[in-house]
Amino acid sequence: MLLGVNIDHVATLRNARGGVEPDVVEAAKICEENGATSITTHLREDRRHIKDEDVRTLIKTIKTKLNLEMAMADDIQKIALEIKPHSICLVPEKRQEVTTEGGLDVAGQLEKVTEFIKPLLENGIVVSLFIDPEKSQIEATSKTGAQFIEMHTGTYSNAFGTDKEEQEFQNLKNAAELAQNLGLKVNAGHGLNYENVKRMHEINGLYELNIGHSIISRAVFTGLGEAVRKMAELAK
Ligand code: PXP
């Protein structure tokens, strides 16, 4: 299984001060040097973390692959067609949400999704649809021309360690199998952490995981000691 690292929260921290620190380009470099096989960023319609300039710079500086998460918005599609990331992942987006809350309803808007992704596919961009692990959504995705699904693992992640875990895990396993039988490749992400990620190995043929929050959260603590030591030296 490959690992795509979502660096949106590095931009969130940077934007809290409005300056340039911490630098998302440097963050992407560190991720790549330590095993990330792609860099994921979500260019949200409200630009609350990653900005247009970030994706324009990242596409030139990263050594692996840029995976651009995006909603079905014309202005973002225009940017995607201009910078041509390796892949895009189409997600639903609500302005008030803290993070992506559910999967894209592909079944309910099959024609719209198919039309929206057409120019992206024609330009050689790999397309993935972020969907809940549901039969109807998988079957619909297989009719759109998208090559990948990204299974929303949020419900499984929330259920992890409870009596609902097994059911939610089986939903992911069955969904992956159905998608693969229909010719789709399968990624997974959302809410995965250092514990619940282990079961992803029980799902046959998973291609790539996309993980952000737990990695950036851990990095704060694994890096905080060194950061304080360095400043304490300077303050002495
Ligand atoms: N995949 C998709 C489509 C997402 O929207 C997100 C959150 O931005 C992730 C993966 C990563 O989720 P998390 O930050 O919970 O690891």
Side-chain angles (χ1 to χ4, degrees):
M1 253 182 315
L2 305 177
L3 172 66
V5 179
N6 181 316
I7 58 169
D8 292 347
H9 291 316
V10 176
T12 303
L13 189 56
R14 175 198 62 191
N15 297 350
R17 277 291 171 96
V20 294
E21 257 187 352
D23 179 12
V24 290
V25 170
E26 185 61 20
K29 186 163 171 271
I30 294 170
C31 294
E32 291 180 319
E33 285 168 357
N34 288 282
T37 47
S38 66
I39 300 298
T40 295
T41 57
H42 185 174
L43 188 62
R44 293 188 76 101
E45 287 180 81
D46 63 8
R47 309 297 200 273
R48 70 172 72 152
H49 35 57
I50 292 290
K51 314 268 188 209
D52 300 24
E53 230 5 75
D54 294 326
V55 292
R56 290 206 170 91
T57 310
L58 285 166
I59 193 73
K60 292 189 213 131
T61 52
I62 65 173
K63 302 257 184 307
T64 55
K65 301 171 292 180
L66 182 66
N67 174 42
L68 184 69
E69 288 178 8
M70 56 185 276
M72 280 200 285
D74 290 343
D75 64 321
I76 313 272
Q77 186 198 51
K78 205 165 149 228
I79 294 171
L81 289 169
E82 177 204 320
I83 66 163
K84 295 197 176 59
H86 169 80
S87 56
I88 68 102
C89 181
L90 208 59
V91 300
E93 202 173 296
K94 297 188 209 102
R95 283 202 174 235
Q96 303 309 322
E97 68 190 357
V98 175
T99 182
T100 315
E101 278 166 4
L104 186 70
D105 180 16
V106 185
Q109 46 183 348
L110 185 55
E111 207 172 315
K112 188 175 170 200
V113 173
T114 307
E115 282 309 305
F116 186 84
I117 66 173
K118 202 178 269 174
L120 299 162
L121 289 165
E122 283 168 0
N123 276 271
I125 301 168
V126 173
V127 173
S128 175
L129 304 185
F130 185 55
I131 57 171
D132 290 321
E134 287 169 13
K135 189 168 180 274
S136 62
Q137 301 298 346
I138 297 161
E139 286 173 346
T141 300
S142 74
K143 296 177 188 145
T144 62
Q147 299 98 327
F148 277 83
I149 59 166
E150 179 168 325
M151 296 194 294
H152 193 319
T153 49
T155 310
Y156 157 75
S157 297
N158 288 336
F160 188 75
T162 73
D163 55 5
K164 297 202 179 77
E165 174 185 332
E166 207 46 49
Q167 180 58 54
E168 295 304 333
F169 177 73
Q170 285 309 322
N171 287 348
L172 292 174
K173 204 168 157 62
N174 296 340
E177 196 179 325
L178 172 63
Q180 285 160 354
N181 286 340
L182 292 171
L184 293 160
K185 293 191 197 108
V186 182
N187 294 335
H190 211 286
L192 293 176
N193 62 29
Y194 291 82
E195 286 307 315
N196 63 28
V197 73
K198 293 172 189 161
R199 293 204 74 182
M200 294 300 109
H201 285 289
E202 295 173 45
I203 301 176
N204 286 334
L206 260 193
Y207 185 77
E208 188 168 63
L209 303 176
N210 274 308
I211 306 182
H213 191 262
S214 65
I215 293 177
I216 304 301
S217 301
R218 187 181 174 109
V220 171
F221 288 140
T222 54
L224 191 58
E226 189 277 331
V228 172
R229 262 195 312 279
K230 180 80 191 155
M231 191 58 86
E233 249 173 52
L234 294 169
K236 225 186 251 171

